[in-house]
C-alpha cells in the first residue's frame, strides 16, 4: 500500500487523520481520512504537487467555494477546501460502494433500463448545478459514485477551479482538464466558453459506454482520441447493441452532436428524451461502413481547426496527462490523419520524402493502384501519370527522384519528382543470379546511387538483400540468409554511411532482430530485438518493437551499436508479414507516417449492401470462417500479423470459446460436416515451417497432425465429403513465385500429397465450390494477381474470373457466384458463373460495396454466410494513415 507523505499528514494533523490512500487520478491523490471535528470519515483529495506549483492557492480556494452551495440528492457535497504547507486539498464525504468505472470494468455493459435510470439521475444533478451556473467539465465514470444503487456525482467545479487558478497556464502542468474519452469537441479544441451543453455531451458519452461497452471514440493515445472526437462521427449505438430502443439511441445521437447548438438545450431535456418512447432525433445517421473507411469524414474547416494552435496545445497537454514524462514522445510534434484523394480511393501506403516536406502514396482506385503525391502543407493529392499498378515507392537521398515497382510489368522504375515520364531501371539477369523481381520487397536508395532491396533468394527461397545501380545494371547478392534459415527484410540506408539497417527473422518464433550490414566489408552486426529500422544519419535510429510500438534510440555508426534507452514515439502501429514488419516510415527530418494498428477490431456481420453490426470486439481478429450450418464462426485472435489463438464464436448465445495451442495458428477451415476444424500451426518442430493440423470443433479430443515436412503448409480447405484437403505448399527449397503451389492430400493417408498444378507462378487461396466440382484460386502468372476457376478434380478448362486484379476468392452459399476483392482491392465483387461441362463462364460481375472499412491480411479475412444472408468480415476501429510532423524534435527547456 502506498505510504502517506509524512509532510502531508503533519500539515493536516490538526483537522484530519489520514488513514490510507484510496486511489490516484490525473489531478489528485485521494485518501481516506477522519474529520477530527465531526468524527466522520471523509475523502480527502490532494492536488498533485506539480499542479499545485503553478496554481494560485488563494484563487483556487476562492473558486472552489462556488461549488460548496450545491445541494442535490445526487451531488456529492463539498465539506472543506484549503491550503496547508503548500498542499492544495478539498474534502468530500466518503461513500461506501464503487465508482461507475469499477462497475463497467467488471460488467462491461449494463442493462438498458439500469443505464438509462443512472443517466436520468445524473442529468437531474447536472441540471441543478447548471441552474446555479456551475459546469462540471469532467463528467466520466470515475466521477460517478454508486451508493446503494444511487449515483452520486463528485468533483463538481473542480476542473473550473483549477483552470481559473492556473490563469491560462495549464500547459505548464502537463495535465489536461477533462478526460479525453468523454471530452466535448469544444473542450478538445480549447474553447474558453464552455456551456452546459458540454456536460450533456460528456454524459451522453458515458451512457454510450454503459450501453455498448466502449466510449464513442477510442484510440491508443490521447491525440488519437481527441482527433476522433473533433473529426469523426460515433457509430450509432443501435448498430453495436440492437436491443437499444429507438428513442434511447436517438437521444444518445443528439447528445453527441459535434455542434453544441445541435445538442439538447439542457440536461433536463436529455433526461426527458431518454424517458420518452416517442422521441426521435433529427441527427443524420452515419453509415457504419462509409464512416469507417480509409480516412475520417471531416470537413476542410474542421480539419483546419484540428490543426490550429488551440488543438495542438490541448493534444500535447493530454499526451502528458496520459503518459509518464520519462517515456513520453517528444512533445514538439503535431499529428493528424491523412485522407485519401477522394471517397472512391483508399490509401494503402504513404512514403515521406527525405526532407519530410512531400508525400507519395500508393492509392487503391477502381482501376487498381496508382501513385499520388502532395506537399505536406497542402490538402489535395495529385495523381502521378504513368504509375498505374505501382507499389513500394521510395525516394532518392536528395528527393529529386521517386522510384517504385511496377506490378503489371514486373520491373523497377524511377521518375523525377518534378514530373516526367517514368524510366525503367534496366536490371541485368545474366549469369547465375536469375532473380525474379516480382518477389521484391522494400527498396532503399543510398547516397552512393545504388538500390538495396529484399527479394526471394533464387537458391533457397529465403528473403535476402540484393544491390543494383539506381540506373540499372547487374544484381549483386549482399546477404545469404538461407545458410542459416533466416529472412532479411526491409533494408534502409543510414544517410551518408556505408551501413544498411534491416530486419532479420530467425527460425525461432518471435526472434526478430534489427541488424546492420556494412556495404564495405559485408559484416552483419545484430543490434537487438526489433523490426523495421531506419536512421536519420545523425546518431538516432528509429525502429518498432514486435508489439507495434515505434521507438527511437541513440545509434553509434562508428561502433555499430545502440546507445542509451529507447524512447517512445507512437504506439499501436499496424503489423504485417506475421508480425515481422511494422507499417511506418520516417524521414531523416522527423516526418513520421504510419498505419494505425488494431487496438480494437470487430468481427462483424455485414449485409450485401455493406451495413454491419458487431459480434465481437477484440485486439487483432483475423480469418473468420463460418461453420457449414452457419451457427458458429471460427477466427484467430492474433498476437501480431496473421497468427495467434483459435477461437469459436457461437451465434445463439454470443459466447466465444478459445481453443488453446502451444504455437500460433492461422487459416481456420471447417470440415463440411462441421465437426472438425483444420488450421496451420506456425513454427512446427524446430524449424520456421508451418504444418497443417485438425481437431474436433467443440474443443474436445486430441490435436491431429495432417501434413508436415520441411516446407510451409498453409490455407487448408476441405473438399466436400471431407475425404481430402487442398492446401498451399510453400517450398523452402525453391525461389520466388515458384515457392507457392496448390496441392491435394487424401485424409485417409492412402497416398502422398500431390500437386494440383506446378507452375513458375504463385498459386494460392484455393477454395472448393459447395458441390465440390469447382476450385477457385489466385495466380500471378500474368504479372498481376488474378482469380481463376477450374473444374475439380480433373482440372479442366481454366476460366479467368477477375479483371484488373483479384484477391481472396470464396463461393456463395449455392455456388452460383464467386466473391473476391478486386479493382485494387477497393471493392468486394460478386461474379455470376454458369457451367457447361468442364468449363465455367462468367455471366456478370457486380460491385457489392467498397472495402475501405475492412481489414486486409495476407489470407482471406471474410467469409460468406451459408444461409445467404450476407458475410462475416473483420473491421478495425483505427485503420487509418497518420502523419506526425516533427516526431524527433525535442522540446527546449
Amino acid at each position: 500500500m502506498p505510504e502517506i507523505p509524512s509532510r502531508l499528514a503533519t500539515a493536516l494533523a490538526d483537522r484530519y487523520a489520514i488513514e490510507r490512500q484510496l486511489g490516484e487520478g490525473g489531478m489528485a491523490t485521494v485518501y481516506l481520512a477522519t474529520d477530527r471535528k465531526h468524527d466522520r470519515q471523509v475523502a480527502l483529495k490532494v492536488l498533485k504537487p506539480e499542479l499545485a506549483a503553478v496554481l494560485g492557492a488563494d484563487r483556487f480556494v476562492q473558486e472552489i467555494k462556488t461549488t460548496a452551495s450545491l445541494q442535490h440528492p445526487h451531488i456529492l457535497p463539498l465539506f472543506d477546501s484549503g491550503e496547508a504547507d503548500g498542499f492544495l486539498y478539498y474534502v468530500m464525504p466518503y461513500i461506501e460502494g464503487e465508482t461507475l468505472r469499477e462497475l463497467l470494468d467488471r460488467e462491461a455493459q449494463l442493462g438498458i433500463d439500469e443505464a438509462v435510470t443512472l443517466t436520468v439521475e445524473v442529468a437531474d444533478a447536472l441540471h441543478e448545478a447548471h441552474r446555479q451556473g456551475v459546469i462540471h467539465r469532467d463528467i466520466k465514470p470515475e466521477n460517478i459514485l454508486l451508493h446503494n444503487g444511487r449515483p452520486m456525482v463528485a468533483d463538481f467545479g473542480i476542473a473550473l477551479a483549477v483552470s481559473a487558478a492556473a490563469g491560462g497556464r495549464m500547459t505548464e502542468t502537463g495535465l489536461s482538464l477533462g478526460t479525453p474519452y468523454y471530452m466535448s469537441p469544444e473542450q478538445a479544441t480549447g474553447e474558453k466558453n464552455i456551456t452546459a451543453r458540454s456536460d450533456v455531451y460528456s454524459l451522453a458519452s458515458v451512457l454510450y459506454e454503459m450501453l455498448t461497452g466502449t466510449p464513442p471514440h477510442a484510440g491508443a493515445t490521447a491525440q488519437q482520441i481527441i482527433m476522433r472526437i473533433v473529426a469523426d462521427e460515433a457509430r450509432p449505438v443501435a448498430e453495436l447493441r440492437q436491443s437499444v430502443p429507438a428513442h434511447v439511441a436517438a437521444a444518445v445521437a443528439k447528445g453527441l452532436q459535434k455542434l453544441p447548438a445541435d445538442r439538447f438545450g439542457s440536461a433536463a431535456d436529455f433526461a426527458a428524451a431518454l424517458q420518452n418512447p416517442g422521441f426521435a432525433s433529427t441527427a443524420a445517421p452515419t453509415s457504419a461502413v462509409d464512416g469507417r473507411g480509409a480516412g475520417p469524414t471531416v470537413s476542410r474547416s474542421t480539419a483546419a481547426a484540428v490543426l490550429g494552435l488551440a488543438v495542438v496545445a490541448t493534444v500535447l497537454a493530454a499526451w502528458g496527462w496520459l503518459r509518464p514524462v520519462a517515456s513520453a514522445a517528444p512533445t514538439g510534434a503535431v499529428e493528424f490523419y491523412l485522407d485519401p484523394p477522394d471517397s472512391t480511393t483508399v490509401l494503402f501506403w504513404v512514403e515521406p520524402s527525405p526532407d519530410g516536406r512531400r508525400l507519395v502514396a500508393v492509392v487503391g482506385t477502381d482501376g487498381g493502384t496508382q501513385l499520388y503525391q502532395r506537399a505536406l502543407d497542402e490538402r489535395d493529392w495529385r495523381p502521378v501519370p504513368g504509375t498505374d499498378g505501382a507499389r513500394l515507392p521510395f525516394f532518392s537521398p536528395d528527393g529529386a527522384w521517386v522510384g517504385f515497382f511496377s506490378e503489371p510489368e514486373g520491373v523497377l522504375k524511377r521518375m523525377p519528382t518534378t514530373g516526367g515520364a517514368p524510366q525503367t531501371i534496366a536490371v541485368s539477369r545474366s549469369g547465375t543470379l536469375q532473380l525474379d523481381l516480382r518477389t521484391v520487397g522494400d527498396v532503399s536508395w543510398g547516397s552512393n546511387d545504388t538500390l538495396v532491396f529484399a527479394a526471394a533468394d533464387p537458391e533457397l527461397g529465403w528473403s535476402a538483400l540484393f544491390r543494383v545501380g539506381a540506373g540499372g545494371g547487374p544484381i549483386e547478392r549482399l546477404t545469404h540468409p538461407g545458410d542459416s534459415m533466416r529472412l532479411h527484410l526491409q533494408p534502409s540506408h543510414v544517410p551518408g554511411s556505408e551501413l544498411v539497417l534491416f530486419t532479420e527473422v530467425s527460425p525461432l518464433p518471435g526472434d526478430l532482430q534489427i541488424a546492420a550490414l556494412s556495404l564495405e566489408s559485408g559484416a552483419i552486426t545484430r543490434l537487438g530485438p526489433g523490426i523495421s529500422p531506419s536512421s536519420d544519419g545523425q546518431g538516432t535510429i528509429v525502429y518498432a518493437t514486435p508489439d507495434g510500438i515505434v521507438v527511437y534510440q541513440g545509434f553509434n555508426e562508428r561502433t555499430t551499436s545502440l546507445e542509451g534507452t529507447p524512447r517512445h514515439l507512437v504506439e499501436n502501429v499496424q503489423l504485417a508479414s506475421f508480425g515481422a514488419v511494422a507499417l511506418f516510415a520516417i524521414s531523416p527530418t522527423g516526418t513520421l507516417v504510419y498505419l494505425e494498428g488494431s487496438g480494437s477490431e470487430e468481427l462483424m456481420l455485414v449485409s450485401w449492401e455493406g451495413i454491419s453490426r458487431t459480434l465481437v470486439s477484440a485486439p487483432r481478429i483475423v480469418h473468420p470462417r463460418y461453420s457449414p450450418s452457419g451457427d458458429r464462426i471460427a477466427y484467430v485472435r492474433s498476437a501480431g500479423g496473421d497468427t495467434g489463438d483459435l477461437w469459436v464464436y457461437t451465434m445463439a448465445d454470443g459466447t466465444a470459446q478459445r481453443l488453446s495451442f502451444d504455437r500460433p495458428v492461422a487459416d481456420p477451415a471447417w470440415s463440411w460436416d462441421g465437426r472438425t476444424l483444420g488450421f496451420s500451426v506456425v513454427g512446427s518442430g524446430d524449424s520456421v515451417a508451418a504444418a497443417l493440423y485438425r481437431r474436433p470443433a467443440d474443443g474436445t479430443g486430441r490435436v491431429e497432425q495432417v501434413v508436415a515436412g520441411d516446407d510451409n503448409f498453409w490455407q487448408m480447405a476441405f473438399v466436400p465429403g471431407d475425404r481430402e484437403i487442398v492446401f498451399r505448399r510453400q517450398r523452402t527449397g525453391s525461389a520466388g513465385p515458384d515457392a507457392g503451389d496448390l496441392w491435394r492430400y487424401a485424409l485417409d493417408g492412402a497416398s502422398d500429397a500431390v500437386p494440383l498444378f506446378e507452375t513458375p507462378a504463385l498459386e494460392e487461396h484455393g477454395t472448393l465450390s459447395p458441390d465440390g466440382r469447382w476450385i477457385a484460386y489466385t495466380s500471378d502468372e500474368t504479372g498481376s494477381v488474378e482469380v481463376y476457376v477450374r473444374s475439380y478434380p480433373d482440372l479442366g478448362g481454366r476460366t479467368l474470373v477477375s479483371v484488373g486484379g483479384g484477391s481472396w476468392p470464396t463461393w456463395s452459399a449455392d455456388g452460383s457466384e464467386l466473391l473476391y476483392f478486386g479493382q485494387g482491392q477497393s471493392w468486394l465483387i460478386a461474379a455470376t458463373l454458369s457451367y457447361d461441362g468442364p468449363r465455367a463462364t462468367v455471366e456478370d460481375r457486380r460491385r457489392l460495396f467498397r472495402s475501405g472499412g475492412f481489414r486486409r491480411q495476407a489470407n482471406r479475412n471474410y467469409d460468406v454466410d451459408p444461409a445467404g444472408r450476407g458475410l462475416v468480415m473483420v473491421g478495425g476501429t483505427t485503420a487509418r494513415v497518420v502523419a506526425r510532423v516533427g516526431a524527433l524534435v525535442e522540446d527546449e527547456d
Side-chain angles (χ1 to χ4, degrees):
M1 181 177 296
E3 294 184 2
I4 299 170
S6 58
R7 190 166 66 90
L8 173 65
T10 301
L12 294 172
D14 60 332
R15 283 166 284 179
Y16 301 102
I18 302 176
E19 300 177 16
R20 58 185 171 89
Q21 181 176 319
L22 295 175
E24 188 171 8
M27 290 192 297
T29 303
V30 187
Y31 298 94
L32 175 63
T34 298
D35 181 347
R36 296 184 186 276
K37 181 177 180 180
H38 301 97
D39 193 22
R40 59 185 176 184
Q41 286 191 315
V42 295
L44 174 70
K45 298 193 175 185
V46 182
L47 296 189
K48 295 292 184 64
E50 61 270 29
L51 178 57
V54 297
L55 298 183
D58 293 341
R59 182 72 184 275
F60 171 76
V61 173
Q62 182 62 37
E63 291 289 342
I64 205 172
K65 286 180 180 178
T66 62
T67 69
S69 60
L70 293 179
Q71 300 292 325
H72 188 276
H74 297 297
I75 293 179
L76 200 64
L78 178 71
F79 282 166
D80 188 17
S81 61
E83 182 271 339
D85 196 15
F87 293 102
L88 295 180
Y89 67 92
Y90 57 101
V91 183
M92 291 183 169
Y94 172 66
I95 301 295
E96 292 281 0
E98 62 181 348
T99 66
L100 178 58
R101 171 80 282 140
E102 292 168 325
L103 177 61
L104 288 174
D105 287 345
R106 188 176 69 252
E107 302 292 341
Q109 294 168 274
L110 304 187
I112 295 172
D113 290 342
E114 180 185 8
V116 170
T117 298
L118 286 173
T119 303
V120 167
E121 292 174 341
V122 172
D124 193 42
L126 287 174
H127 183 61
E128 174 61 24
H130 295 162
R131 283 197 321 109
Q132 299 188 40
V134 178
I135 311 300
H136 192 289
R137 296 175 176 243
D138 197 16
I139 289 295
K140 57 185 178 182
E142 290 83 350
N143 279 337
I144 300 175
L145 309 179
L146 302 176
H147 179 58
N148 295 327
R150 296 172 57 246
M152 302 286 289
V153 184
D155 286 4
F156 255 103
I158 302 303
L160 178 60
V162 171
S163 179
R169 294 175 291 131
M170 276 307 295
T171 54
E172 297 177 31
T173 69
L175 305 174
S176 70
L177 294 181
T179 300
Y181 288 115
Y182 313 98
M183 269 187 180
S184 66
E186 56 268 33
Q187 280 182 291
T189 53
E191 292 186 18
K192 294 182 178 180
N193 298 320
I194 301 300
T195 70
R197 295 176 191 247
S198 178
D199 281 352
V200 170
Y201 181 96
S202 298
L203 182 57
S205 299
V206 172
L207 175 57
Y208 189 103
E209 182 173 359
M210 286 193 281
L211 294 172
T212 68
T214 182
H217 301 286
T221 67
Q223 294 105 315
Q224 293 174 1
I225 298 167
I226 292 173
M227 292 290 287
R228 291 194 178 101
I229 288 172
V230 174
D232 289 3
E233 298 295 334
R235 290 189 66 188
V237 69
E239 288 186 4
L240 299 176
R241 188 172 178 179
Q242 290 184 316
S243 57
V244 174
H247 72 284
V248 173
V252 172
K254 186 175 179 67
L256 292 176
Q257 288 297 298
K258 301 296 183 191
L259 292 177
D262 291 339
R263 297 178 211 140
F264 294 100
S266 69
D269 291 342
F270 182 30
L274 290 172
Q275 299 173 92
N276 177 12
F279 176 77
S281 173
T282 58
T286 301
S287 166
V289 175
D290 294 342
R292 297 173 58 249
T297 305
V298 53
S299 68
R300 290 176 181 265
S301 60
T302 301
V306 170
L307 292 177
L309 181 59
V311 178
V312 174
T314 305
V315 168
L316 296 182
W319 175 270
W321 171 72
L322 283 181
R323 300 175 178 275
V325 174
S327 62
T331 54
V334 177
E335 187 171 272
F336 54 94
Y337 292 111
L338 292 173
D339 291 331
D342 56 57
S343 60
T344 66
T345 59
V346 178
L347 286 179
F348 286 144
W349 182 246
V350 179
E351 187 77 17
S353 62
D355 63 5
R357 299 172 62 183
R358 179 160 296 278
L359 304 174
V360 168
V362 180
V363 175
T365 68
D366 287 349
T369 60
Q370 185 178 3
L371 294 187
Y372 279 65
Q373 65 172 329
R374 58 170 272 195
L376 191 64
D377 57 358
E378 296 175 347
R379 297 194 181 280
D380 295 329
W381 293 94
R382 296 184 299 278
V384 180
T387 60
D388 292 346
R391 64 179 179 90
L392 301 175
F394 54 95
F395 281 93
S396 62
D398 59 4
W401 295 83
V402 62
F404 59 93
F405 180 76
S406 176
E407 191 89 54
E409 301 165 84
V411 298
L412 290 168
K413 292 188 173 184
R414 69 176 192 173
M415 62 190 304
T417 53
T418 54
Q423 305 171 10
T424 298
I425 299 175
V427 174
S428 169
R429 306 189 198 198
S430 61
T432 60
L433 194 58
Q434 297 297 319
L435 188 69
D436 194 314
L437 290 180
R438 285 178 294 177
T439 69
V440 166
D442 292 282
V443 184
S444 177
W445 192 327
S447 56
N448 56 0
D449 213 29
T450 61
L451 308 179
V452 174
F453 58 89
D457 187 314
E459 295 179 1
L460 297 174
W462 301 104
S463 179
L465 300 186
F466 301 86
R467 175 168 56 184
V468 70
I475 298 174
E476 175 190 0
R477 186 202 309 271
L478 297 176
T479 65
H480 295 73
D483 295 344
S484 55
M485 294 182 66
R486 297 178 183 269
L487 307 177
H488 292 171
L489 309 170
Q490 298 180 284
S492 176
H493 282 88
V494 176
S497 168
E498 286 297 307
L499 292 176
V500 173
L501 303 172
F502 64 95
T503 303
E504 182 178 76
V505 184
S506 87
L508 300 176
D511 186 2
L512 303 166
Q513 296 274 325
I514 53 175
L517 166 70
S518 170
L519 295 177
E520 294 179 340
S521 67
I524 292 176
T525 304
R526 295 174 181 89
L527 304 176
I531 55 177
S532 309
S534 61
S535 170
D536 65 354
Q538 301 179 38
T540 299
I541 186 174
V542 180
Y543 60 95
T545 64
D547 54 355
I549 300 174
V550 177
V551 300
Y552 65 105
Q553 188 173 357
F555 177 57
N556 189 320
E557 296 176 22
R558 183 178 57 82
T559 61
T560 319
S561 60
L562 299 179
E563 296 180 340
T565 302
R567 299 185 65 190
H568 289 182
L569 277 179
V570 293
E571 297 183 357
N572 201 34
V573 173
Q574 193 167 133
L575 303 176
S577 300
F578 306 100
V581 173
L583 299 181
F584 80 94
I586 187 168
S587 73
T589 57
T591 295
L592 172 71
V593 180
Y594 65 96
L595 187 64
E596 286 184 327
S598 47
S600 177
E601 291 182 320
E602 298 169 344
L603 191 66
M604 301 185 300
L605 296 184
V606 184
S607 71
W608 294 114
E609 293 76 30
I611 305 302
S612 65
R613 70 179 179 91
T614 300
L615 297 177
V616 177
S617 292
R620 294 174 178 156
I621 296 174
V622 293
H623 309 162
R625 300 290 184 266
Y626 268 111
S627 65
S629 59
D631 62 339
R632 291 163 293 168
I633 299 173
Y635 61 94
V636 172
R637 284 271 299 274
S638 171
D642 276 27
T643 63
D645 297 316
L646 184 63
W647 290 70
V648 174
Y649 178 87
T650 302
M651 303 289 287
D653 57 11
T655 60
Q657 177 187 8
R658 177 181 176 181
L659 306 183
S660 299
F661 305 96
D662 294 334
R663 295 183 184 274
V665 309
D667 304 329
W670 290 90
S671 63
W672 286 81
D673 63 9
R675 298 178 180 177
T676 302
L677 269 171
F679 45 87
S680 303
V681 174
V682 182
S684 176
D686 295 325
S687 75
V688 74
L692 301 180
Y693 288 77
R694 62 179 174 178
R695 72 166 304 169
D698 61 4
T700 64
R702 66 185 183 88
V703 177
E704 176 188 359
Q705 183 175 283
V706 179
V707 177
D710 294 333
D711 297 338
N712 291 291
F713 303 93
W714 305 97
Q715 301 168 357
M716 180 194 301
F718 286 86
V719 175
D722 297 327
R723 297 182 304 276
E724 61 181 7
I725 58 171
V726 171
F727 59 93
R728 174 192 170 194
R729 181 174 183 174
Q730 182 179 344
R731 294 180 294 170
T732 59
S734 300
D738 195 35
D741 285 309
L742 293 179
W743 289 57
R744 60 192 291 186
Y745 175 70
L747 290 174
D748 61 7
S751 61
D752 294 334
V754 296
L756 289 177
F757 25 75
E758 291 182 286
T759 73
L762 170 63
E763 288 93 14
E764 57 181 342
H765 303 299
T767 177
L768 278 297
S769 63
D771 61 6
R773 296 180 52 225
W774 305 91
I775 183 171
Y777 63 97
T778 62
S779 173
D780 68 350
E781 62 185 80
T782 64
S784 64
V785 178
E786 303 282 0
V787 176
Y788 297 86
V789 166
R790 300 180 77 164
S791 59
Y792 189 87
D794 59 311
L795 302 178
R798 183 182 58 177
T799 299
L800 175 63
V801 177
S802 58
V803 175
S807 303
W808 310 304
T810 192
W811 297 88
S812 65
D814 61 2
S816 64
E817 290 186 321
L818 188 68
L819 279 70
Y820 61 93
F821 279 88
Q823 296 178 305
Q825 300 177 2
S826 298
W827 286 88
L828 181 65
I829 297 176
T832 303
L833 304 178
S834 63
Y835 307 99
D836 183 14
R839 181 175 293 277
T841 301
V842 179
E843 301 290 347
D844 183 41
R845 297 178 184 88
R846 58 191 176 95
R847 298 190 303 188
L848 297 179
F849 50 82
R850 293 194 64 83
S851 62
F854 303 109
R855 288 277 190 225
R856 297 165 179 81
Q857 292 285 339
N859 295 327
R860 180 163 54 90
N861 221 21
Y862 74 103
D863 201 20
V864 175
D865 183 350
R869 293 165 294 196
L871 310 100
V872 61
M873 308 186 81
V874 175
T877 59
T878 60
R880 285 180 292 196
V881 180
V882 184
R884 170 180 279 196
V885 184
L888 295 175
V889 178
E890 297 283 358
D891 281 347
E892 296 182 1
D893 295 331

